[in-house]
């Protein structure tokens, strides 16, 4: 089932061969083409992560809220093409900024990722760029490793921004660095607020969520590290987050997303969402 669709959808021209200068190895599941060889149920769970939790959810609960953005495999394949670098569509690290007056004057739509220190922001961005492994996204096991806003250009289509983490070991000037950016960046089309799916919402996350609500610009909630806990714990944390979104937010997209940078769960869906939000794919 999946194998047929994926082979049809992926344009051979987009399946770039790795050149000798690439020093990092492409993850075995980086491309949709690779998951076509997996059992259909496994492939489906990687593409649509909520399907793994459906069996544990009470029948009385409306499933629609967890599947509002539910693109086809064909849509995901179209989105994936934008994450392939080429001579006419270069993907690269552009620059870093410590203050708003250091932020580059880029015109392309931007999305940024914020979250607690050690929530997996840099790992997630590295997974998004796994088809272009020469793009250096620094990942550390030490909380608070990212100290600056790092800008990554995806051709002329859009820019992804890795923002320093809040909470433990956050930069002392986090507020002065990040809040002006979130408030005034005119080409920022969406903020992704990351929450550790293995532990659920923490006090610092609720403060960040309140900040996003005060700014009144659209954002999306994402549960990371979904491979670090069992399905019942993950479902509990998802339902807690979804309840907060439903009852206490006005600017948050009404669906929370599930991702694992380690297993590539939800990465294809998130790529597709980014391309839609930035207008790269209609």
């Amino acid at each position: 089932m999946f194998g047929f669709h994926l082979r049809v959808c992926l344009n051979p021209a987009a399946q770039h061969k790795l050149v000798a200068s690439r020093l990092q190895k492409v993850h075995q599941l980086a491309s949709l083409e690779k998951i076509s060889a997996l059992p259909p149920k496994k492939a489906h769970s990687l593409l649509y992560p909520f399907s793994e939790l459906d069996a544990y959810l009470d029948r009385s609960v409306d499933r629609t809220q967890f599947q509002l953005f539910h693109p086809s495999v064909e849509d995901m394949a179209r989105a994936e093409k934008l994450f392939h670098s080429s001579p006419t569509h270069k993907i690269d690290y552009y620059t870093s900024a410590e203050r708003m007056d250091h932020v580059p004057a880029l015109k392309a739509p931007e999305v940024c990722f914020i979250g607690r220190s050690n929530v997996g922001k840099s790992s997630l961005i590295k997974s998004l760029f796994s088809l272009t492994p020469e793009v250096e996204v620094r990942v550390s096991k030490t909380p608070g490793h990212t100290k600056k806003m790092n800008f990554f250009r995806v051709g002329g289509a859009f820019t992804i921004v890795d923002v320093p983490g809040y909470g433990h070991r956050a930069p002392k000037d986090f507020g002065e660095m990040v809040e002006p950016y979130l408030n005034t960046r005119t080409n920022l089309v969406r903020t992704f607020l990351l929450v550790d799916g293995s532990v659920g919402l923490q006090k610092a996350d609720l403060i960040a969520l309140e900040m996003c609500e005060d700014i009144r610009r659209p954002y999306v909630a994402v549960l990371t590290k979904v491979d670090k806990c069992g399905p019942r714990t993950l479902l509990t944390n998802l339902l807690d987050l979804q309840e907060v979104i439903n009852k206490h937010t006005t600017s948050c997209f009404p669906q929370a997303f599930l991702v694992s940078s380690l297993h590539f769960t939800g990465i294809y869906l998130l790529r597709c969402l980014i391309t839609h939000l930035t207008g790269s794919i209609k």
Side-chain angles (χ1 to χ4, degrees):
M1 172 183 172
F2 287 102
F4 171 77
H5 284 297
L6 296 178
R7 280 190 284 273
V8 169
C9 298
L10 289 178
N11 185 334
Q15 298 169 11
H16 302 289
K17 293 182 180 180
L18 294 179
V19 296
S21 61
R22 291 188 175 181
L23 301 179
Q24 301 181 57
K25 185 178 179 181
V26 174
H27 192 283
Q28 61 180 352
L29 295 177
S31 171
L32 279 165
E33 182 188 22
K34 300 299 183 182
I35 71 170
S36 63
L38 298 176
K41 184 177 180 181
K42 177 63 175 178
H44 190 75
S45 69
L46 292 175
L47 296 172
Y48 306 105
F50 175 72
S51 63
E52 282 286 280
L53 302 179
D54 198 356
Y56 299 91
L57 189 61
D58 190 274
R59 293 182 180 180
S60 64
V61 178
D62 180 15
R63 267 82 170 156
T64 305
Q65 61 186 323
F66 305 109
Q67 303 173 86
L68 295 172
F69 183 74
H70 194 77
S72 65
V73 177
E74 289 86 351
D75 287 333
M76 293 189 206
R78 291 171 59 207
E80 183 175 290
K81 294 174 186 177
L82 286 169
F83 286 87
H84 282 276
S85 188
S86 71
T88 58
H89 180 73
K90 187 177 181 181
I91 300 175
D92 61 358
Y93 159 76
Y94 183 60
T95 192
S96 297
E98 291 183 329
R99 300 192 305 271
M100 193 60 195
D101 55 353
H102 292 168
V103 169
L106 299 173
K107 295 182 179 180
E110 281 180 7
V111 297
C112 74
F113 289 80
I114 66 173
R116 284 193 302 118
S117 299
N118 206 35
V119 75
K121 283 185 293 79
S122 298
S123 295
L124 176 55
I125 293 173
K126 188 179 182 71
S127 295
L128 293 172
F129 288 141
S130 56
L131 295 166
T132 311
E134 66 269 22
V135 176
E136 184 179 3
V137 182
R138 296 183 178 179
V139 177
S140 173
K141 294 183 179 179
T142 303
H145 176 76
T146 303
K147 298 298 184 183
K148 302 176 182 179
M149 292 184 288
N150 298 317
F151 292 75
F152 300 88
R153 294 186 301 184
V154 182
F158 54 88
T159 303
I160 291 179
V161 186
D162 185 3
V163 175
Y166 52 79
H168 180 62
R169 299 193 67 177
K172 294 181 180 179
D173 56 351
F174 174 85
E176 297 176 8
M177 180 194 310
V178 177
E179 288 191 42
Y181 169 78
L182 297 178
N183 268 300
T184 65
R185 188 66 163 174
T186 56
N187 59 329
L188 178 64
V189 297
R190 201 68 47 129
T191 296
F192 287 84
L193 174 60
L194 308 188
V195 176
D196 189 333
S198 65
V199 299
L201 281 167
Q202 304 294 297
K203 182 178 180 180
D205 299 318
L206 293 172
I207 293 173
L209 192 143
E210 185 177 351
M211 176 188 70
C212 290
E213 284 295 309
D214 290 342
I215 292 172
R216 295 184 180 180
R217 299 185 69 172
Y219 64 102
V220 178
V222 179
L223 284 176
T224 63
K225 302 184 179 182
V226 301
D227 56 286
K228 301 296 184 183
C229 62
R232 295 186 185 280
T233 297
L234 178 59
L235 180 59
T236 297
N237 293 338
L238 172 61
L239 291 175
D240 288 345
L241 174 59
Q242 195 66 50
E243 182 178 16
V244 171
I245 292 173
N246 293 343
K247 294 183 177 180
H248 303 291
T249 73
T250 58
S251 299
C252 187
F253 187 71
Q255 173 186 348
F257 290 81
L258 306 170
V259 297
S260 165
S261 301
L262 180 63
H263 295 161
F264 264 65
T265 305
I267 297 299
Y268 320 98
L269 186 65
L270 197 60
R271 284 177 181 156
C272 195
L273 178 62
I274 291 171
T275 59
H276 277 269
L277 292 175
T278 56
S280 305
I281 290 180
K282 303 299 183 182

